[in-house]
Amino acid sequence: QVQLVESGGGLAQAGESLRLSCTASGRIGSINAMGWYRQAPGKQRELVAAITTGSSADYANSVKDRFTISRDNVKNTVYLQMNSLKPEDTAVYFCKADVTTWFGVRHSYWGQGTQVTVSS
């Protein structure tokens, strides 16, 4: 009913920047919180950043002052601007959206993930 499509991952060198995008489509009534998570090999998925409908944002300590989350409520899109990338940022990045569908059902949806690899 709802699909999230991510883009913008890839390969970067340490110190460089990447920008991730995630667009939601389908039977969307409204989108509440949106967020980015990441999962490195052998590790649990962790929250990177989250943003409310009113654009109040929270960040993991490891990315504060380097990453910026933003959203376009008209386009149903959330972005993650990643600056000063480090090798430890290497992971698969997933977006998540808390959606209320046309039918009034509230559910969290995940994107398929996009790989970010940072070389030293």
Side-chain angles (χ1 to χ4, degrees):
Q1 293 185 346
V2 175
Q3 299 82 38
L4 300 182
V5 178
E6 297 134 338
S7 61
L11 180 64
Q13 292 192 335
E16 293 184 341
S17 300
L18 287 173
R19 189 190 195 210
L20 305 182
S21 300
C22 173
T23 298
S25 62
R27 299 177 178 179
I28 298 171
S30 62
I31 301 179
N32 307 302
M34 304 183 82
W36 288 96
Y37 291 71
R38 67 186 181 188
Q39 187 167 19
K43 294 188 177 181
Q44 290 188 335
R45 191 173 298 188
E46 63 175 0
L47 175 67
V48 176
I51 187 167
T52 66
T53 304
S55 294
S56 176
D58 282 317
Y59 297 92
N61 288 335
S62 59
V63 306
K64 278 182 181 177
D65 300 324
R66 297 190 299 122
F67 290 10
T68 302
I69 189 171
S70 61
R71 64 188 286 174
D72 184 326
N73 293 328
V74 173
K75 296 181 179 179
N76 289 338
T77 298
V78 62
Y79 305 96
L80 186 67
Q81 178 66 42
M82 304 185 294
N83 298 331
S84 302
L85 284 162
K86 302 177 180 180
E88 50 264 43
D89 295 319
T90 295
V92 178
Y93 283 71
F94 299 88
C95 71
K96 179 183 177 183
D98 180 14
V99 176
T100 300
T101 69
W102 291 354
F103 310 105
V105 177
R106 188 164 178 168
H107 186 73
S108 291
Y109 294 88
W110 291 88
Q112 80 285 356
T114 185
Q115 177 70 45
V116 171
T117 302
V118 184
S119 62
S120 58

